[in-house]
Amino acid sequence: MVSVEEASRIILRQVSPLPGEEVALLQAAGRVLFENVRASRNVPPFANSAMDGYAVRWLDVARASATDPVTLSVLEDVPAGYVARRRVTKGNATRIMTGAPVPRGADAIVRVEYTEFIGDRVRISRVDGQGSHIRGIGEDIQKGRPILKKGKLLTSADIGLLASVGKSRVRVYRRPTVAIISTGDELLEVDDSPQPGKIVNSNSYTLSAAVQEIGAVPHLLGIVRDKRKSLASAFKRALHYDVVITSGGVSVGDYDLVKGALLDVGVRMALWRVAQRPGHPFAFGRMGSKPVFGLPGNPVSSAVSFLLYARPALLKMMGYKSFFLPVIHATLEHEIKKTKGLKEFIRCCLREDDGRSFASSTGTQSSGVLHSLSLAQGLIVGKEEETLLPKGSQVPVILLRHQGLLSGELGF
Ligand code: AMP
Ligand code: MG
């Protein structure tokens, strides 16, 4: 039996990032960049006006004031998207809109608020300085400069940045396809009518949703009965995918069933059983470079083992550099008893008070009670050597709802 830390190390050591693939820009959102991107053009591509106003020669207007305004002739209008036909020469100005290219000869923009348009002339009563309100060529991005590094998780701003330099296709890490198999003679499909002695296969759904949540691609291969032959043929089919995740059939009683079937199809086992609760029975192996996770059948055990082991492995395959859920420290609201020798993950609620976090158990910690995981915002981590976590003590808590740090208020 290995520790949680050791199991995590063994698994992550045996998992490598997948190769890259080229996708259309929008498909790259939320994925990890597989290439270093340099700008193939300047952004903005030309000097343009940051204001609605007049493009002028600084020398003509430098001394303009409310008491001593300067009047210039207006040559033409340049809206955004068009190029001025004429050069701005001494005594002249061009009316310009935000985003329009600065006409030749002009070296300042006077904002429209400081002007008065009279006939075909403009009276200027205030100026902001030479070069004012001109966005220079390449001010945002300079041609040839690196803009995004390989390994960057692409946000919506990154997607826009790539669009701005005209990059419509981009290389990102491939997303693993994940075969999900539930094992057990007692399992029914979600649409089946209830039958004596049978329960609905919920694990396939929990696991698929968890795979989907991080952007990997789940494939539900259904239920397989507790027969070595059926298991072996299902595993063989599953090995067409990048990752295989099974649930059930790894507890002491029937461990050999799943292990035997995995060995039958050529999977090399690297570990089974981890000193933890829930999720003590657990198998991990590899078929070539494909990781195979044999998760326990109990709904909470399989979900927690997924979070601890399969989730980081999938993130690593997708090119992430950091794979672990965030951990905070919280004060325990009540004492919790635990078993010596096992690291325990206790489903908990969290509450904030005066900048501090407080954790309390969501109730029964039976590994069959999925409801208490559904209520949980975190998992309190109880260390192996401890038998009691006292009320008021500081405990590490793995955040489960880290993506849901939303607030009901504006908050600032
Ligand atoms: P096992 O690990 O196969 O011994 O299963 C442990 C417990 O988890 C048993 O009570 C099973 O009925 C239950 N279980 C196994 N697989 C599933 C599943 N796919 N969905 C819901 N419960 C399951
Ligand atoms: Mg079973």
Side-chain angles (χ1 to χ4, degrees), residues 248-377:
V250 289
S251 51
V252 186
D254 49 13
Y255 173 67
D256 283 338
L257 207 52
V258 162
K259 181 189 175 190
L262 288 173
L263 291 172
D264 289 348
V265 298
V267 173
R268 290 173 52 171
M269 303 310 293
L271 61 90
W272 50 91
R273 299 232 225 139
V274 185
Q276 71 177 67
R277 172 180 288 166
H280 170 75
F282 170 81
F284 173 77
R286 254 188 345 164
M287 175 80 174
S289 63
K290 294 181 182 188
V292 178
F293 295 87
L295 306 183
N298 270 308
V300 178
S301 310
S302 70
V304 168
S305 297
F306 176 89
L307 290 175
L308 293 174
Y309 307 114
R311 186 182 194 275
L314 292 173
L315 291 175
K316 184 172 181 187
M317 294 175 84
M318 288 188 282
Y320 282 69
K321 298 285 184 294
S322 307
F323 341 107
F324 302 110
L325 287 165
V327 174
I328 60 162
H329 282 80
T331 307
L332 257 192
E333 305 233 44
H334 53 80
E335 74 167 38
I336 294 174
K337 293 196 175 68
K338 70 169 284 294
T339 310
K340 197 174 170 71
L342 299 180
K343 189 169 283 229
E344 285 197 12
F345 299 94
I346 299 134
R347 287 147 264 172
C348 72
C349 288
L350 288 166
R351 142 182 105 76
E352 283 276 315
D353 191 15
D354 210 13
R356 287 173 66 200
S357 300
F358 292 84
S360 56
S361 159
T362 55
T364 170
Q365 294 293 314
S366 156
S367 56
V369 180
L370 194 54
H371 193 196
S372 67
L373 184 61
S374 151
L375 292 172
Q377 293 162 301

Side-chain angles (χ1 to χ4, degrees), residues 181-184 186-188 197 199-207 223 226 247-254 258 281 295-299 301-302 367-368 370:
I181 291 177
S182 284
T183 72
E186 75 279 32
L187 300 179
L188 292 176
I199 58 161
V200 172
N201 160 26
S202 59
N203 289 353
S204 286
Y205 292 89
T206 311
L207 295 170
I223 298 165
D226 291 322
S247 80
V250 289
S251 51
V252 186
D254 49 13
V258 162
L295 306 183
N298 270 308
S301 310
S302 70
S367 56
L370 194 54

